[in-house]
């Protein structure tokens, strides 16, 4: 009698475990996004961002969104300020042009890939003032988020390790 109860309890546990579903592996192996920050020889700060298609499209829409009316009013009023006013107006125009360029690169990359990798190299220290943003394809897998490629890897140091978002 005792063996029969033990056998029934064991079978019930096995049936309960086999009916439950495990979904953690799918989100672990295919994160929605990932971000990592690196320092290269004390001169460049490299930020690498990986995004799946839906997050990349929403970022592209935000980057290419029309500016608010207050932003346009401020840009117009900058022009009347002596000396640095026109410079500020031109700088804002160039900033909007860069955002639209990155948004179009994201959309073009998503036509052939399931995600994007956005690499931003920002000069610090001796390289101050330089900024380079590149967009490339990403297959959406966690295993394909390596450290960024640089000419001398021994000078590449991790500032913030890769953080994944599922």
């Amino acid at each position: 009698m005792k063996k029969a109860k033990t056998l029934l309890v064991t079978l019930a546990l096995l049936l309960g475990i086999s009916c439950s579903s495990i979904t953690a592996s799918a989100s672990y192996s295919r994160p929605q996004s990932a971000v990592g920050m690196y320092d290269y020889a004390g001169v460049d700060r490299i930020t690498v961002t990986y995004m799946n298609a839906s997050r990349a499209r929403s970022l592209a829409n935000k980057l290419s969104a029309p500016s608010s009316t207050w932003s346009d009013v401020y840009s117009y009023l900058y022009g009347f300020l002596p000396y640095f006013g026109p410079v500020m107006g031109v700088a804002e125009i160039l900033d909007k042009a860069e955002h639209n360029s990155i948004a179009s690169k994201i959309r073009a990359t998503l036509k052939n890939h399931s995600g994007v990798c956005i690499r931003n190299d920002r000069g610090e220290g001796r390289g101050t003032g330089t900024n380079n943003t590149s967009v490339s394809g990403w297959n959406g897998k966690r295993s394909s988020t390596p450290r960024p490629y640089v000419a001398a890897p021994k000078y590449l140091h991790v500032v913030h390790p890769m953080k994944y978002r599922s």
Side-chain angles (χ1 to χ4, degrees), residues 10-84:
T10 306
L11 287 174
L13 283 175
L14 287 174
L15 183 64
I17 291 173
S18 66
C19 290
S20 67
S21 62
I22 300 172
T23 59
S25 64
S27 63
Y28 178 82
S29 64
R30 291 201 173 266
Q32 291 181 1
S33 62
V35 178
M37 190 177 291
Y38 304 89
D39 183 48
Y40 181 56
V43 177
D44 278 343
R45 179 64 53 106
I46 301 172
T47 306
V48 183
T49 307
Y50 296 93
M51 290 184 221
N52 66 1
S54 64
R55 286 187 182 247
R57 278 191 199 95
S58 67
L59 175 66
N61 291 337
K62 287 179 184 176
L63 287 175
S64 64
S67 59
S68 68
T69 54
W70 286 111
S71 174
D72 292 338
V73 168
Y74 289 138
S75 297
Y76 177 73
L77 293 176
Y78 287 154
F80 294 113
L81 296 173
Y83 305 113
F84 65 92

Side-chain angles (χ1 to χ4, degrees), residues 88-152:
M88 291 174 63
V90 169
E92 186 148 340
I93 290 170
L94 292 175
D95 187 44
K96 288 179 185 178
E98 182 185 8
H99 285 181
N100 285 330
S101 171
I102 293 170
S104 66
K105 287 178 187 176
I106 290 172
R107 288 188 184 102
T109 304
L110 285 177
K111 289 180 182 176
N112 300 322
H113 299 281
S114 62
V116 295
C117 170
I118 302 170
R119 177 180 166 155
N120 186 359
D121 297 350
R122 188 179 72 220
E124 293 184 350
R126 294 179 307 226
T128 301
T130 59
N131 192 9
N132 183 21
T133 302
S134 61
V135 179
S136 59
W138 177 50
N139 64 3
K141 294 182 181 176
R142 185 184 191 109
S143 60
S144 63
T145 55
R147 293 168 61 109
Y149 173 77
V150 292

Side-chain angles (χ1 to χ4, degrees), residues 146-159:
R147 293 168 61 109
Y149 173 77
V150 292
K154 69 178 182 178
Y155 296 114
L156 185 68
H157 304 287
V158 176
V159 176

